[in-house]
Amino acid sequence: MPETDSTGLLRGLLASGAVAAMALAAPAIAGQKLGEPQSIRAPEVIYAKTCGYCHGRNVGPIILGRGLPAESVKYIVRHGQNGMPAFRPTEVKPEELEALAAWVEKSDARKGEHGQ
Amino acid sequence: MSDLNLDRRGLLGAGIIGAASFGLGTGASAKNPAPLAPHMTKADYAGAMKAFRGVVGAEWVFGDEEAVAPYAKVYVPDPMNRHVPIGAVCPESVEQVQELVRIANQYKQPLWPVSTGKNMGYGMTAPATPGQVVLDLKRMNRILEVDADLGTCLLEPGVTYQQLKDYLVENNIPLWIDVPTVGPIASPVGNTLDRGVGYTPYGEHFMFQCGMEVVLADGQVMRTGMGSIKGSTAWQAFKWGYGPYLDGLFTQSNFGVVTKMGLWLMPKPPVYKPFMIRHPNMEDTPKIIEAMRPLRVSNLVANCNLMMSASYQLAMFKRRNEIVPDGAPLDEVSLKKAAKANGLGMWNTYFALYGTEQTVGAIEPIIRASLTASGGEVLTAAEMGDNPWFHHHATLMEGGLNLDEIGLLRWRGAGGGLAWFAPVAAARGVEAERQTALAREIVEKWGFDYTAAYAIGWRDLHHILALLFDKSDAEQEKKADSCYRELVTRFGAQGWASYRTGVNSMDLVAQQYGAVNRDFNARIKHAVDPNGILAPGKSGII
């Protein structure tokens, strides 16, 4: 598409600093490819993109660095607890949950996290 | 209403009492096993589940109580345990959906399709009527196309907003997404099919939908709009196609299983500037609406505004007993004090400007003048800094992701109870004033709080009331159920029916739209799904 037309100008505007900022924010793991289902995710990724939106922020209790038993983590993920929703095997796959629960149990506390 | 309709309603809407219950492994407790659909035998159910396993594999069919548990978790009041699925089946392709639908017809096993099942205070994966197997589409989570020039995408139902955002970021595509409040775990397809809303200028989600692929109840695959034209490049570019516009038939309905959807994505603007307008008194309601309406109708303010009450805001990040003692009413003096301590007013209205330096610079003084005249303080990031409520809304209004609103579920006691009540009115101050008065009267009568907001649309108001209760308290859950029904009934009597509702009240809301509308929907349903296998009871359609 020629860069001289109005669309090109708009694209130029859009692609300025914002793109660089977004590239910096990209996670250091291979992402989902077009036309392919989401692959198995590492515990850190699941924590950052699901659990960590509530736990350790303004919403849920801190779960890292407390030595929470992996079996308890697995039960709570599948059943939910009080205000926490349940997560199905289609959302957090069985093998992902195994690794996540073990990772949470062994995790260190993170500075900057705060519970409610 | 036709005899057939009455018969189907009798069969599927009968509830637990009198329904066959075989305790075949359900999400319900052993004490209260979830019933099969009343027309089904144990052998029918077992046969259907066996055949489902043959299609998707045994590991993706769930029937025993423990395995179904994640599908049974709901926030909505359900004191009769009526909204409990009896199983789940999880396909990974369109072809598998077709096979499952054919099997469901053979055994007459109703299926309740969900995309990611995270509509929170509307029922999550729970079905509207007993005896349904959840058709869980989360494994179908391919991002099929993203066109950076046209600003379009084509998605499967299991894609989350997080997945789509990650794809755009990782591939340096300067397009935004538009999220509902639980974006990371919710589905763009599912939210659009429920006609949900977001907070950028693309916030009216169904308006920015373009093209669908649908598995019909007989197993055929239909594409809407330009999607059925061989060689067309406009499936995601031109909404209407030719002849009757079909896409709407598949929203808030049970006429097909949507397996692909096109959406338009907003180009990232060079300038994004979020605002908060702080008003000091509950009585300011009409002044705010009257000031905002011309800005919205003229599109000077292009995004859906959220006008948040202090109680709704505080409930996100605080517990009720931090503001008043347990058992005490949430009085206005205490509320005002807590609001002020957290940088909030009694009403907090959020919107943003999007454009270039020149356009934003030209519009801002007009808006400031109008909203200052309404008695509000006009605030931006310069004044609000890292205030968590401002941060929350500023994130949403640029298509950012958070789950802050799950904090609402912790407002009372052990929490876990939420039902959204969402009546619609025209965007007029007097209507909002009357709605607030009526809502407060009803919720306070039942011992609950007016934790509410108004979403100010282009010309409409969605009054969004979060009915928050402690789901671990059986008496409170019963009261929440009664309170919700009174809200629906009394608002409906004033002409304010809901635009969307949870599985706990779909039939009740459908009644308010009248017998002719219901019968028309039923006639379509009976024509396209004669065995009633797709989501009976969705939007009150049987």
Side-chain angles (χ1 to χ4, degrees):
Chain A
M1 191 173 288
E3 289 293 301
T4 49
D5 66 12
S6 58
T7 311
L9 177 63
L10 180 60
R11 291 196 64 200
L13 277 171
L14 299 178
S16 56
V19 174
M22 286 196 290
L24 284 174
I29 53 131
Q32 185 172 0
K33 292 188 172 58
L34 213 58
E36 293 183 9
Q38 188 175 50
S39 53
I40 297 293
R41 297 160 297 168
E44 296 90 333
V45 175
I46 297 174
Y47 184 81
K49 299 195 172 177
T50 303
C51 329
Y53 278 114
C54 294
H55 296 285
R57 300 263 280 255
N58 290 316
V59 176
I62 287 173
I63 58 172
L64 298 185
R66 293 174 55 191
L68 294 176
E71 286 305 312
S72 302
V73 173
K74 284 192 278 187
Y75 183 87
I76 291 169
V77 167
R78 288 287 182 249
H79 294 76
Q81 180 158 294
N82 299 331
M84 176 180 157
F87 291 88
R88 314 183 305 277
T90 52
E91 296 175 278
V92 181
K93 294 196 179 70
E95 56 268 49
E96 289 180 328
L97 183 55
E98 284 293 329
L100 176 70
W103 180 83
V104 169
E105 180 176 336
K106 291 175 186 157
S107 61
D108 295 325
R110 287 186 179 176
K111 280 183 186 172
E113 284 203 342
H114 52 278
Q116 282 280 350
Chain B
M1 199 174 285
S2 70
D3 290 344
L4 175 59
N5 192 29
L6 282 170
D7 185 45
R8 290 157 70 114
R9 291 180 59 73
L11 282 173
L12 294 169
I16 284 175
I17 298 163
S21 176
F22 295 94
L24 248 188
T26 69
S29 68
K31 219 171 166 184
N32 295 300
L36 302 179
H39 59 277
M40 290 191 69
T41 66
K42 183 177 175 180
D44 291 332
Y45 172 66
M49 294 296 269
K50 185 181 177 190
F52 290 158
R53 287 187 199 99
V55 176
V56 300
E59 70 272 36
W60 293 113
V61 178
F62 305 109
D64 68 77
E65 183 175 328
E66 186 61 19
V68 176
Y71 293 87
K73 168 92 181 185
V74 291
Y75 292 157
V76 294
D78 184 19
M80 295 284 287
N81 281 336
R82 182 176 156 76
H83 304 288
V84 182
I86 58 167
V89 55
C90 316
E92 63 175 353
S93 68
V94 179
E95 293 75 18
Q96 287 188 355
V97 174
Q98 291 178 273
E99 281 304 305
L100 296 173
V101 163
R102 288 181 186 123
I103 292 165
N105 272 297
Q106 183 186 343
Y107 292 96
K108 298 191 171 47
Q109 170 59 58
L111 297 171
W112 182 262
V114 302
S115 300
T116 57
K118 285 291 182 285
N119 62 16
M120 299 303 192
Y122 290 113
M124 295 205 261
T125 55
T129 61
Q132 304 202 40
V133 169
V134 177
L135 180 62
D136 180 352
L137 303 172
K138 178 69 189 80
R139 293 177 71 210
M140 296 174 63
N141 62 40
R142 297 167 189 84
I143 299 166
L144 297 163
E145 291 174 16
V146 174
D147 190 314
D149 294 323
L150 291 170
T152 63
C153 65
L154 181 66
L155 307 175
E156 289 189 329
V159 173
T160 61
Y161 285 98
Q162 179 81 58
Q163 281 174 260
L164 181 57
K165 177 91 170 181
D166 287 348
Y167 180 84
L168 296 172
V169 170
E170 287 161 14
N171 291 281
N172 295 335
I173 299 170
L175 296 172
W176 274 3
I177 60 170
D178 185 285
V179 294
T181 52
V182 290
I185 50 179
S187 158
V189 174
N191 187 272
T192 304
L193 288 175
D194 252 7
R195 298 204 293 266
V197 298
Y199 309 102
T200 76
Y202 281 33
E204 186 65 78
H205 289 165
F206 185 47
M207 204 175 281
F208 295 93
Q209 175 271 337
C210 193
M212 288 180 186
E213 178 187 88
V214 187
V215 173
L216 302 175
D218 62 4
Q220 290 189 91
V221 174
M222 181 173 77
R223 291 186 171 185
T224 66
M226 304 305 289
S228 60
I229 302 295
K230 198 175 176 184
S232 172
T233 57
W235 190 21
Q236 272 63 68
F238 182 64
K239 285 167 70 83
W240 316 120
Y242 176 73
Y245 176 66
L246 297 175
D247 298 51
L249 286 174
F250 300 104
T251 66
Q252 293 195 355
S253 82
N254 49 15
F255 301 153
V257 181
V258 175
T259 49
K260 291 183 181 67
M261 179 185 283
L263 293 171
W264 291 348
L265 303 174
M266 177 177 161
K268 181 186 188 323
V271 172
Y272 161 66
K273 185 164 186 178
F275 290 82
M276 168 182 165
I277 313 301
R278 190 164 60 197
H279 282 83
N281 300 308
M282 285 302 288
E283 295 72 28
D284 292 328
T285 311
K287 286 193 283 188
I288 304 167
I289 308 279
E290 291 301 309
M292 288 305 309
R293 186 185 55 241
L295 302 175
R296 289 292 288 120
V297 172
S298 64
N299 223 23
L300 282 177
V301 171
N303 68 321
C304 176
N305 311 159
L306 274 182
M307 177 182 154
M308 308 281 289
S309 68
S311 49
Y312 187 149
Q313 296 259 268
L314 291 166
M316 288 164 57
F317 300 139
K318 303 286 176 191
R319 288 180 179 241
R320 193 179 190 277
N321 59 16
E322 292 176 54
I323 297 163
V324 290
D326 285 331
L330 188 65
D331 65 282
E332 206 155 313
V333 173
S334 304
L335 201 52
K336 253 185 187 171
K337 190 177 160 194
K340 195 172 181 188
N342 288 285
L344 300 166
M346 291 300 275
W347 288 108
N348 308 279
T349 306
Y350 299 89
F351 65 88
L353 295 180
Y354 308 80
T356 63
E357 290 288 354
Q358 294 90 335
T359 61
V360 169
I363 294 169
E364 184 172 341
I366 302 169
I367 286 166
R368 279 184 176 275
S370 175
L371 294 169
T372 302
S374 77
E377 296 170 81
V378 180
L379 305 163
T380 65
E383 295 84 17
M384 296 308 292
D386 58 359
N387 176 286
W389 288 274
F390 183 81
H391 180 264
H392 166 78
H393 291 282
T395 302
L396 291 182
M397 293 190 296
E398 61 174 337
L401 295 160
N402 64 50
L403 290 173
D404 292 347
E405 282 212 356
I406 290 182
L408 293 170
L409 274 299
R410 293 159 60 86
W411 178 239
R412 275 177 182 267
L418 163 65
W420 293 115
F421 174 58
V424 171
R428 291 196 180 90
V430 66
E431 295 218 43
E433 191 171 38
R434 287 174 53 215
Q435 283 204 356
T436 294
L438 181 59
R440 287 179 76 172
E441 180 207 322
I442 296 169
V443 297
E444 287 170 8
K445 180 181 110 182
W446 288 100
F448 299 110
D449 301 319
Y450 178 70
T451 38
Y454 286 96
I456 307 173
W458 231 337
R459 287 164 177 81
D460 61 280
L461 286 179
H462 291 17
H463 191 176
I464 311 290
L465 192 151
L467 182 61
L468 300 174
F469 60 99
D470 181 351
K471 205 167 164 66
S472 70
D473 179 335
E475 276 308 305
Q476 213 175 107
E477 182 169 17
K478 276 186 201 166
K479 281 186 183 172
D481 185 55
S482 300
C483 177
Y484 195 94
R485 289 173 188 284
E486 183 171 339
L487 283 164
V488 171
T489 307
R490 291 184 58 193
F491 269 69
Q494 299 292 316
W496 298 317
S498 298
Y499 88 98
R500 184 184 183 191
T501 199
V503 292
N504 55 314
S505 49
M506 287 180 167
D507 197 73
L508 190 64
V509 171
Q511 287 172 29
Q512 298 187 323
Y513 282 85
V516 175
N517 294 51
R518 291 202 83 179
D519 187 53
F520 187 75
N521 284 335
R523 279 190 279 161
I524 296 172
K525 177 68 174 171
H526 303 167
V528 300
D529 182 13
N531 291 322
I533 53 114
L534 294 181
K538 174 73 180 177
S539 298
I541 304 166
I542 297 284

